[in-house]
């Protein structure tokens, strides 16, 4: 078990989760520590000039794992959830481990899950998509029917409107996975929704589409027809394979740039109407309460946002020297134009390099070289999208929206790097 | 669209669609895929209810009839008085709290204090409740349970009958509490400050030392 030994690494789980899980979840704690990024004690027998053990014996054959899994040393890279956040696991959320991802694609098994009635597991032979309402001819399609139609493939980010929702009042969760992990980015393959709507023929008064899931919650959202005819898709593929059950297998709606709740999973029905339905998820939930007691309705677009994923609370620094600050940026309005990074809390900024490709409504990776002098630092990023919109500070957001609106928190995230190399989620005053 | 691949009837449909589809703009390919669903097949899934009452099924119920159903099927999560157990949604009360802001107070968004339309209550109970047994209620049971939830919020009387004709007409207290999306609502555009920016970088909040007990309902809920 020498590989499990570590030279250092602090307690990186959020305190509240640690309090609740420390007794029974040693494995999870170990997993989190393994992701800390600090140097692990190596076995000198495997280091030069010695031949390592794997160079002196055969490994498993080609078919040992017919569906490949990550190597055991990456077993800590998993989705995590906060048990106290929700009343039950069936109506809950878990989080993408952004701190351990590379590039801009999220592996399918790591895409955050948000269910309202548990994960439906559907036999595609027993699944149908009905399109009806204000159409020339209603239709009922099988999954095979959809696969016979022309397909499209596009990379898009998918972000829950409540991502960073716990951070409105102040710095709350000491983890980038928990503050920003309700986002993923994948290549979706399926049929353009416009193709389907053209096929059934819209009546002149068609203004809205109700999308409904086949799950226990029968998730329903109203989507304006302009968006439905623009870039929405009925997807059956994700990152080259069939959708995972937790992502809506056999088919889900893809609504690029809009809040993930509208990306209805396990899609079974599209009703065309002349007005919105005002369903529970677009009135009681997913509305943004402001300090004057009024709430914004139909706040669909996820505005430009970014976060530094290294360093972060899960990935501390290991002594002064050269590092590459890394992060992710995205905008529901299109491409990321620029990302600036500051290591002094926003007093001075440098423009980071955007790693190609930079695609619209897609996660974009940014990097900035950094020689850390070992002193305390405040690392923060701000995204600018192609509309010229600049990601605001939390102070600017709170001035307008207060702290009780839950959704659409796209404020700048500040990490404090301590002289020890540990990293903490902090909130700055900015102005008085 | 490839006209050469289309059968004659597809061409006719396509041309008709060209005239009738101002929004989609172009006629669709006639794939000849799928079947026409029967009215019964559509009706079996088309259970949504709109604020104008479209979609409400025939039926009736009162809060008095809903009370035992609510206590049997709903109170385990939502509480006998709609107060919410643990982290489950609070259904009643919260009036005049929507302007409350942490740390002085907090808004309590309930059916009575927040929901703009009664139709949403029927629609949601019918499709998604009770949580462990969704789609198990009859229309009469939904009318009765919805009436009881509205009664807990002092919106309808205990013996007042709700039905297909009057349910959507119920005046919800926060009907006018919603406004359109006016984002972007923060300074937009222009070149942001790059050097010697006038910001106060005093740390006023830290995540690590927090010791909040989640059961105290002081945290925003996800449900």
């Amino acid at each position: 078990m020498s590989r499990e030994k570590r030279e250092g690494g602090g307690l990186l789980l959020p305190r509240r989760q640690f309090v609740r899980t420390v007794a029974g979840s040693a494995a999870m704690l170990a997993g989190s520590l393994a992701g800390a990024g600090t140097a692990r004690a190596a076995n000198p027998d495997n280091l030069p000039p010695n031949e390592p053990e794997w160079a002196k014996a055969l490994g498993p054959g080609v078919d040992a794992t017919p569906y490949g899994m990550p190597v055991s040393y990456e077993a800590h890279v998993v989705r995590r959830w906060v048990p106290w956040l929700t009343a039950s696991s069936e109506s809950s959320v878990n989080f993408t481990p952004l701190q351990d991802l590379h590039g801009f694609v999220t592996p399918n098994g790591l895409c955050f899950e948000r269910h309202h009635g548990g994960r439906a597991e559907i036999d595609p032979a027993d699944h149908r998509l009905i399109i009806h309402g204000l159409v020339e001819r209603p239709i009922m399609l099988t999954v095979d029917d959809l696969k016979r139609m022309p397909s499209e493939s596009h990379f898009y980010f998918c972000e829950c409107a409540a991502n960073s929702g716990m951070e409105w009042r102040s710095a709350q969760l000491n983890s980038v996975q928990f503050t920003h992990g309700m986002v993923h980015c994948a290549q979706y393959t399926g049929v353009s929704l416009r193709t389907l709507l053209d096929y059934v023929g819209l009546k002149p008064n068609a203004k809205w589409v109700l999308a409904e899931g086949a799950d226990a919650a029968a998730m329903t959202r109203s989507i304006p027809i302009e968006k439905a005819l623009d870039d929405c898709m009925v997807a059956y593929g994700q990152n080259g394979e069939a959708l995972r059950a937790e992502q809506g297998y056999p088919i889900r709606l893809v609504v690029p740039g809009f809040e993930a709740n509208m990306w209805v999973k396990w899609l079974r029905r599209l009703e065309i109407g002349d007005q919105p339905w005002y369903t529970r998820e677009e009135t009681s939930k997913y509305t943004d309460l402001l300090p004057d007691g009024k709430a914004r309705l139909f706040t669909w677009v996820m505005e430009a946002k970014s976060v530094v994923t290294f360093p972060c609370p899960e990935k501390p620094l290991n002594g002064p020297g050269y590092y590459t600050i890394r992060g992710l940026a995205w905008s529901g309005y299109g491409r990321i134009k620029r990302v600036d990074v500051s290591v002094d809390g926003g007093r001075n900024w440098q423009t980071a390099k955007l790693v190609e490709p930079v695609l619209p409504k897609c996660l974009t990776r940014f990097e900035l070289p950094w020689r850390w002098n070992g002193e305390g630092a405040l690392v923060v990023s701000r995204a600018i999208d192609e509309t010229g919109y600049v990601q605001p500070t939390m102070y600017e957001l709170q001035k307008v929206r207060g702290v009780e609106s839950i959704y659409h928190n796209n404020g700048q995230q500040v990490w404090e790097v301590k002289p020890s190399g540990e990293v903490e989620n902090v909130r700055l005053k900015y102005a008085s | 669209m490839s006209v050469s691949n289309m059968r004659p009837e597809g061409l006719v449909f396509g041309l008709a669609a060209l005239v009738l589809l101002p929004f989609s703009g172009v006629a669709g390919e006639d794939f000849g895929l799928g079947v026409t669903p029967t009215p019964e097949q559509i009706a079996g899934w088309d259970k949504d209810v709109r604020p104008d009452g479209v979609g409400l099924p025939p039926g009736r119920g009162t809060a008095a009839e809903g009370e035992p159903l609510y206590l049997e099927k709903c109170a385990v999560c939502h509480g006998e008085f709609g107060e919410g157990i643990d982290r489950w949604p609070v259904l009643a009360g919260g009036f005049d709290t929507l302007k409350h802001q942490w740390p002085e107070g907090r808004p309590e968004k309930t059916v009575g204090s927040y929901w703009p339309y009664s139709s949403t209550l029927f629609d949601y109970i019918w499709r998604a409740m009770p949580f462990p047994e969704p789609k198990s209620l009859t229309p009469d049971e939904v009318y009765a349970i919805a009436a009881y939830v509205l009664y807990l919020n002092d919106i309808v009387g205990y013996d007042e009958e709700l039905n297909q004709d009057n349910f959507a007409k119920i005046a919800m207290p926060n009907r006018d509490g919603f406004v359109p999306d006016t984002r972007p609502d923060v300074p937009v555009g222009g070149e942001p400050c790059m050097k010697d920016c006038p910001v106060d970088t005093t740390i006023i909040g830290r995540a690590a030392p927090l010791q909040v007990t989640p059961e105290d309902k002081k945290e925003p809920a996800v449900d």
Side-chain angles (χ1 to χ4, degrees), chain A residues 79 94 107-116 118-122 184 188 238 241-250 252 263-266:
Chain A
R79 298 180 286 221
N94 64 12
N108 288 336
L110 298 178
C111 294
F112 77 96
E113 299 173 83
R114 173 74 170 106
H115 311 319
H116 294 74
R119 179 189 69 193
E121 190 134 339
I122 297 173
H184 74 247
Y188 287 96
Q238 182 178 356
E241 63 181 2
L243 290 171
R244 297 288 170 90
E246 63 267 33
Q247 300 300 333
Y249 181 88
R252 87 175 302 170
W263 297 44
V264 172
K265 299 188 285 192
W266 312 292

Side-chain angles (χ1 to χ4, degrees), chain A residues 20 140 169 194 198-199 202 204 269 271 278 285 287 296 347-349 382 401 403 416 427 430, chain B residues 21 23-24 33 35 48 101-102 114 120 179 185 193-194 196-197 200 204-206 215 218 223:
Chain A
R20 295 206 125 206
M140 182 163 68
R169 296 170 180 175
R194 185 185 186 104
D198 285 344
Y199 181 41
L202 293 179
R269 194 166 68 91
E271 180 174 357
Y278 295 97
K285 306 295 172 186
T287 48
R296 288 183 184 149
R347 284 204 186 100
N348 297 283
W349 298 84
R382 71 178 174 209
R401 301 189 205 165
V403 297
E416 183 197 26
R427 184 60 48 85
Y430 289 111
Chain B
L21 302 185
F23 294 102
S24 51
L33 295 169
V35 299
D48 49 76
Q101 294 274 315
W102 175 89
Y114 196 62
T120 308
V179 294
D185 52 3
C193 175
M194 294 295 286
D196 300 325
C197 307
D200 184 342
I204 57 170
R206 291 183 172 278
E215 285 79 7
K218 293 218 171 77
D223 51 46

Side-chain angles (χ1 to χ4, degrees), chain A residues 15-16 19-20 84-88 90-91 114 116 128 130 132 136-141 145 148-150 166 169-174 194-195 198-199 201-202 204 206-207 210 212 215-218 220 229 268-269 271 274-275 277-281 283-285 287 289 291-301 303 338 340 344-349 351 378 382 384 388-389 392 397 400-404 406 408 416 418 424-430, chain B residues 13 17 20-38 41-42 44-52 85-89 97-103 105-107 109 114-117 119-120 123-124 127-129 131 134-135 174 176-215 218-223:
Chain A
R15 179 70 57 87
R16 282 165 293 186
V19 168
R20 295 206 125 206
W84 58 260
L85 192 60
T86 49
S88 81
E90 293 87 0
S91 182
R114 173 74 170 106
H116 294 74
R128 295 291 183 275
I130 294 180
H132 69 107
E136 294 299 328
R137 52 170 187 180
I139 199 85
M140 182 163 68
L141 298 163
D145 289 334
R148 286 169 65 175
M149 295 178 181
M166 297 300 292
R169 296 170 180 175
S170 185
Q172 289 246 60
L173 299 172
N174 201 32
R194 185 185 186 104
T195 296
D198 285 344
Y199 181 41
L202 293 179
K207 292 282 200 298
L210 183 76
E212 180 184 81
D215 58 322
T220 41
L229 292 171
R268 76 171 190 179
R269 194 166 68 91
E271 180 174 357
D274 60 356
Q275 52 185 275
W277 278 260
Y278 295 97
T279 68
R280 188 244 194 192
E281 310 302 328
T283 53
S284 142
K285 306 295 172 186
T287 48
L289 184 60
D292 67 358
K294 301 289 186 185
R296 288 183 184 149
L297 188 75
F298 297 144
T299 45
W300 300 311
V301 178
E303 293 184 299
R338 192 176 105 195
D340 298 330
D344 60 6
R347 284 204 186 100
N348 297 283
W349 298 84
T351 297
L378 295 168
R382 71 178 174 209
I384 304 172
Y389 176 92
L397 271 187
V400 179
R401 301 189 205 165
V403 297
E404 301 291 351
I406 299 177
H408 300 286
E416 183 197 26
K418 303 167 197 283
E424 183 179 357
N425 174 14
V426 297
R427 184 60 48 85
L428 304 186
K429 189 174 183 184
Y430 289 111
Chain B
F13 170 75
L20 292 170
L21 302 185
F23 294 102
S24 51
V26 295
E29 175 84 46
D30 181 9
F31 299 111
L33 295 169
V35 299
T36 302
T38 66
Q41 286 175 319
I42 293 175
W45 284 3
D46 179 11
K47 293 176 174 172
D48 49 76
V49 179
R50 296 198 315 200
D52 60 3
I85 306 293
D86 297 335
R87 303 282 291 171
W88 296 101
T97 66
L98 297 183
K99 294 180 181 175
H100 291 186
Q101 294 274 315
W102 175 89
R106 49 184 286 278
K109 296 186 285 185
Y114 196 62
W115 292 35
Y117 300 107
S119 58
T120 308
D123 177 273
Y124 186 67
R127 77 175 61 253
M129 291 289 114
F131 188 62
K135 306 173 184 69
N174 198 39
D176 298 321
F178 292 83
V179 294
D181 184 5
T182 51
R183 295 176 302 157
D185 52 3
V186 292
V188 183
E191 182 60 24
C193 175
M194 294 295 286
K195 195 167 175 358
D196 300 325
C197 307
V199 295
D200 184 342
T201 56
T202 306
I203 292 175
I204 57 170
R206 291 183 172 278
L210 283 181
Q211 289 273 23
V212 179
T213 307
E215 285 79 7
K218 293 218 171 77
E219 302 293 319
V222 175
D223 51 46

Side-chain angles (χ1 to χ4, degrees), chain A residues 162-380:
Chain A
N163 199 19
S164 313
M166 297 300 292
E167 302 295 309
W168 273 106
R169 296 170 180 175
S170 185
Q172 289 246 60
L173 299 172
N174 201 32
S175 150
V176 73
Q177 184 165 7
F178 292 142
T179 58
H180 287 76
M182 280 196 273
V183 64
H184 74 247
C185 185
Q187 187 194 44
Y188 287 96
T189 298
V191 181
S192 155
L193 181 54
R194 185 185 186 104
T195 296
L196 292 172
L197 296 180
D198 285 344
Y199 181 41
V200 297
L202 293 179
K203 292 191 170 173
N205 53 339
K207 292 282 200 298
W208 292 84
V209 178
L210 183 76
E212 180 184 81
D215 58 322
M219 175 57 60
T220 41
R221 286 296 301 259
S222 304
I223 295 162
I225 199 73
E226 294 81 6
K227 181 66 174 176
L229 292 171
D230 180 13
D231 55 2
C232 293
M233 300 168 66
V234 174
Y236 45 77
Q238 182 178 356
N239 287 334
E241 63 181 2
L243 290 171
R244 297 288 170 90
E246 63 267 33
Q247 300 300 333
Y249 181 88
I251 53 173
R252 87 175 302 170
L253 197 62
V254 170
V255 191
F258 280 25
E259 60 190 21
N261 182 254
M262 302 174 81
W263 297 44
V264 172
K265 299 188 285 192
W266 312 292
L267 182 71
R268 76 171 190 179
R269 194 166 68 91
L270 294 167
E271 180 174 357
I272 317 302
D274 60 356
Q275 52 185 275
W277 278 260
Y278 295 97
T279 68
R280 188 244 194 192
E281 310 302 328
E282 58 201 23
T283 53
S284 142
K285 306 295 172 186
Y286 302 97
T287 48
D288 306 42
L289 184 60
L290 302 173
D292 67 358
K294 301 289 186 185
R296 288 183 184 149
L297 188 75
F298 297 144
T299 45
W300 300 311
V301 178
M302 304 307 295
E303 293 184 299
K305 186 169 178 176
S306 69
V307 65
V308 170
T309 57
F310 180 81
C312 69
E314 293 96 326
K315 299 286 185 186
L317 301 181
N318 189 23
Y322 186 92
Y323 291 94
T324 301
I325 295 173
R326 288 196 174 84
L328 293 164
W330 60 95
S331 169
Y333 281 109
R335 284 180 175 79
I336 290 296
K337 184 172 74 180
R338 192 176 105 195
V339 177
D340 298 330
V341 172
S342 169
V343 294
D344 60 6
R347 284 204 186 100
N348 297 283
W349 298 84
Q350 299 175 76
T351 297
K353 181 187 82 174
L354 301 184
V355 180
E356 294 290 335
V358 178
L359 302 172
K361 303 174 187 179
C362 183
L363 291 191
T364 296
R365 177 67 68 177
F366 65 86
E367 288 190 350
L368 184 74
W370 184 35
R371 286 194 185 277
W372 183 45
N373 59 11
E375 296 173 3
L378 295 168
V379 178
V380 54

